[in-house]
């Protein structure tokens, strides 16, 4: 599972695909969830990294 970190919040997805202009996010049923332009994407983290206690990540 991944989390796309945006200025307005987060979008959780099962997988993503990189595009020339951003990332396409998909759920566990392989349905399209959202397109996030790189300009709006602060980070794309896997669940293990997101839940880590390492402060430098966030």
């Amino acid at each position: 599972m991944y989390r796309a970190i945006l200025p307005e919040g987060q979008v959780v997805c099962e997988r993503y695909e990189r595009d020339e202009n951003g990332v396409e996010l998909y759920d566990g049923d392989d349905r399209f969830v959202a397109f996030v332009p790189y300009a709006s994407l602060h980070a794309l983290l896997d669940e293990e990294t997101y839940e880590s206690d390492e402060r430098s990540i966030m």
Side-chain angles (χ1 to χ4, degrees):
M1 184 162 316
Y2 297 93
R3 289 180 186 259
I5 311 298
L6 311 168
E8 305 83 22
Q10 304 174 17
V11 178
V12 177
C13 65
E14 192 64 33
R15 71 175 189 87
Y16 66 92
E17 291 184 11
R18 294 175 188 240
D19 184 288
E20 182 177 315
N21 300 309
V23 291
E24 295 177 352
L25 309 176
Y26 296 89
D27 67 10
D29 294 326
D30 215 30
R31 287 183 291 205
F32 179 78
V33 175
F35 175 79
V36 180
Y38 290 126
S40 298
L41 183 65
H42 285 203
L44 185 60
L45 305 171
D46 65 18
E47 198 68 22
E48 183 178 313
T49 302
Y50 184 80
E51 293 176 351
S52 171
D53 289 335
E54 179 64 38
R55 294 187 69 195
S56 63
I57 294 171
M58 300 306 269

